Amino acid sequence: MGVDLRQVVAGVLTLTMFVMLIHMIKRDHFDAVDDKLPGTEDVSFESTNFETTHVRKNMGIWKGDADELKPCWVKPSEDKVEQTEGFVTFSLTNGPEYHISQIADAVLVARSLGATLVIPDIRGNQPGDKRNFEDIYDVDVFMKSMEGVVRVVKALPSHVSTHKIAAVKVPNRVTEEYIATHVEPVYRSKGSVRLATYFPSINMRKAGKKSDADSVACLAMYGSLELQQETHDLVDSMVERLRTLSRKSDGQFIAVDLRVEMLDKKGCQGSDSDKEKSCFNAQEVAVFLRKIGFDKDTTIYVTQSRWDESLDFLKDLFPKTYTKESIIPADKKKKFLDSQDSELEKVIDFYISSESDVFVPAISGLFYANVAGKRIGSGKSQILVPATIPDSSASASSFLSHYVSKKNHFAYSCYC
């Protein structure tokens, strides 16, 4: 019986394809991170040597050991303070991470003086970039939260001239002693003051013995500011979008505060004498996340406003990496992104970072500190601070923020 040459050829081709398939399975792209990626010549993946089994060993990387905390501050009574006739005015500036601290200082000053607090406006970095408080926050929630603590009005009465209000600077986390020494004399002399908070340092230390002033600060920071409905709904929709993209990790995602323009600023340019790095670029963050156990299916939200080529390395290791422009609803893009209004973009970043399952502050500063405070209050304690890891893998728990591991954030004075 003759042999059909076509059958022989077909058999050889089938066998060849089967062998090729076996090799493809062996070289599954999720395990092939030792290969050089374009533009990564300065990182040795031989030394990095990510272990895929490490992911399975670290199923707890998404969840910290958060205690269920509840507000434990006592709402101060207005009856304890002698009421006066003057006003305290101020503006919110530089984004929500500053707003929280500015609100707390203004409320404490107004209460200490027995003055009436005027709802602030909100100002951006550019001249003329000014908006109303209610454009971002719920003014009714704020006013209701202050009932019995300090009197609040939406605007200065017409008989009060803004030209006669004295400007006073106060340090963040202002004390009652500072107010009595530096603010009250001016207030008594001029009748009203306009505050400007400055930040000599990032001061989020936990209070020692709790005082009435601490209760005021707790209420102002964690019980008075809520987003107005449109902005709240937008943030919710973007968080939901990120969870939808995270099906392979049970709807969980990471928020990374990484703004490329900040990496070149003075605060990120540490000297050789510095013990710790304060800023990490996209490449360093990517390697850090892989080494502590996050796999390529992990969804990452980055606070960078628009895509920058320096983020390409992060996306190479984590293809599901997004900036706000790629997940914001199309009908909101013009108002919140295309308007070049950085204030609205910062609001989106701050609240998504507060809601994510894991928060990674690639840049040290007030954004990190105040996001940490909100997360502590809501039980989202998985805050992982980047570091250079010399070994091929490490436990995520080793990089838990000191705010959480040492419970030394001011939020722990407010939640018990």
Side-chain angles (χ1 to χ4, degrees):
M1 183 173 64
V3 177
D4 188 333
L5 183 60
R6 288 174 297 178
Q7 289 180 329
V8 173
V9 173
V12 172
L13 289 173
T14 300
L15 180 61
T16 301
M17 292 177 66
F18 181 74
V19 172
M20 290 175 63
L21 180 60
I22 293 295
H23 282 289
M24 288 175 67
I25 292 172
K26 287 183 177 179
R27 294 191 60 188
D28 177 51
H29 68 282
F30 284 104
D31 295 335
V33 292
D34 288 341
D35 295 338
K36 286 278 187 177
L37 295 173
T40 65
E41 291 74 16
D42 54 336
V43 171
S44 170
F45 284 95
E46 291 180 4
S47 61
T48 302
N49 188 25
F50 303 118
E51 300 176 9
T52 54
T53 55
H54 180 60
V55 178
R56 291 189 287 275
K57 294 176 185 175
N58 271 289
M59 297 307 290
I61 55 178
W62 287 104
K63 301 293 182 184
D65 298 324
D67 299 323
E68 186 174 345
L69 303 177
K70 295 181 180 179
C72 57
W73 66 80
V74 178
K75 189 173 183 178
S77 170
E78 196 176 20
D79 296 336
K80 296 181 180 180
V81 181
E82 179 186 351
Q83 300 303 305
T84 58
E85 298 300 318
F87 296 86
V88 170
T89 70
F90 68 112
S91 293
L92 298 178
T93 60
N94 299 317
E97 67 269 34
Y98 285 86
H99 298 173
I100 289 175
S101 297
Q102 290 163 343
I103 281 281
D105 291 330
V107 171
L108 182 58
V109 169
R111 178 176 169 80
S112 297
L113 298 176
T116 298
L117 185 69
V118 181
I119 293 286
D121 58 8
I122 300 175
R123 302 192 181 189
N125 296 326
Q126 303 301 321
D129 186 359
K130 181 179 175 182
R131 62 182 63 252
N132 296 323
F133 181 87
E134 55 266 32
D135 291 338
I136 292 179
Y137 298 109
D138 189 319
V139 67
D140 294 325
V141 167
F142 178 75
M143 295 186 74
K144 186 172 181 61
S145 72
M146 291 295 120
E147 288 179 359
V149 178
V150 66
R151 293 169 296 172
V152 180
V153 294
K154 292 185 176 181
L156 272 174
S158 57
H159 68 272
V160 179
S161 171
T162 57
H163 299 294
K164 294 182 179 180
I165 297 178
V168 179
K169 287 187 176 182
V170 296
N172 177 225
R173 296 288 300 275
V174 65
T175 63
E176 290 179 302
E177 291 76 18
Y178 186 96
I179 295 169
T181 303
H182 300 280
V183 182
E184 188 171 355
V186 179
Y187 176 76
R188 298 292 182 189
S189 172
K190 300 293 185 178
S192 295
V193 293
R194 178 170 179 81
L195 296 182
T197 296
Y198 66 95
F199 294 80
S201 63
I202 306 301
N203 177 10
M204 283 295 150
R205 68 180 181 277
K206 184 179 178 181
K209 184 179 179 181
K210 291 185 180 179
S211 65
D212 185 73
D214 292 327
S215 293
V216 173
C218 287
L219 172 64
M221 293 178 76
Y222 304 120
S224 71
L225 289 180
E226 289 187 12
L227 295 177
Q228 55 96 330
Q229 197 62 50
E230 181 187 13
T231 310
H232 183 278
D233 290 345
L234 172 63
V235 171
D236 278 355
S237 71
M238 294 175 72
V239 169
E240 186 58 35
R241 172 66 174 151
L242 288 163
R243 297 204 183 285
T244 301
L245 293 165
S246 309
R247 291 191 186 95
K248 291 188 178 181
S249 54
D250 297 326
Q252 299 171 115
F253 71 95
I254 301 173
V256 177
D257 178 33
L258 174 58
R259 289 156 284 159
V260 175
E261 71 277 6
M262 294 292 293
L263 298 177
D264 294 327
K265 293 194 174 180
K266 185 178 180 181
C268 281
Q269 304 302 308
S271 64
D272 294 337
S273 61
D274 291 340
K275 293 181 180 180
E276 297 179 356
K277 281 173 65 73
S278 58
C279 302
F280 291 81
N281 61 35
Q283 184 170 292
E284 293 166 324
V285 169
V287 173
F288 168 74
L289 291 174
R290 287 307 303 272
K291 285 190 173 185
I292 62 173
F294 290 101
D295 66 23
K296 290 191 74 170
D297 283 326
T298 302
T299 298
I300 297 176
Y301 174 81
V302 184
T303 57
Q304 170 69 21
S305 291
R306 304 292 186 277
W307 192 264
D308 186 89
E309 63 180 11
S310 66
L311 300 178
D312 290 348
F313 185 94
L314 181 60
K315 197 170 184 68
D316 284 336
L317 287 191
F318 297 96
K320 294 181 179 179
T321 296
Y322 305 95
T323 58
K324 62 184 72 63
E325 63 181 337
S326 58
I327 61 168
I328 193 169
D331 61 331
K332 300 296 183 182
K333 192 172 182 180
K334 182 176 181 180
K335 177 177 179 179
F336 287 87
L337 296 188
D338 295 345
S339 65
Q340 302 298 313
D341 189 336
S342 61
E343 205 73 17
L344 292 175
E345 293 188 26
K346 289 176 183 176
V347 169
I348 293 172
D349 290 334
F350 186 85
Y351 284 90
I352 290 181
S353 296
S354 301
E355 291 293 324
S356 64
D357 299 277
V358 175
F359 174 55
V360 176
I363 301 168
S364 181
L366 196 62
F367 188 97
Y368 162 34
N370 272 333
V371 166
K374 286 192 70 67
R375 293 182 66 92
I376 289 166
S378 60
K380 295 179 179 293
S381 64
Q382 198 68 332
I383 305 169
L384 304 177
V385 180
T388 301
I389 303 173
D391 301 320
S392 62
S393 64
S395 170
S397 61
S398 300
F399 305 97
L400 191 64
S401 167
H402 68 87
Y403 286 138
V404 176
S405 62
K406 296 182 179 179
K407 290 183 166 51
N408 60 5
H409 194 286
F410 177 70
Y412 285 107
S413 301
C414 305
Y415 294 94
C416 307

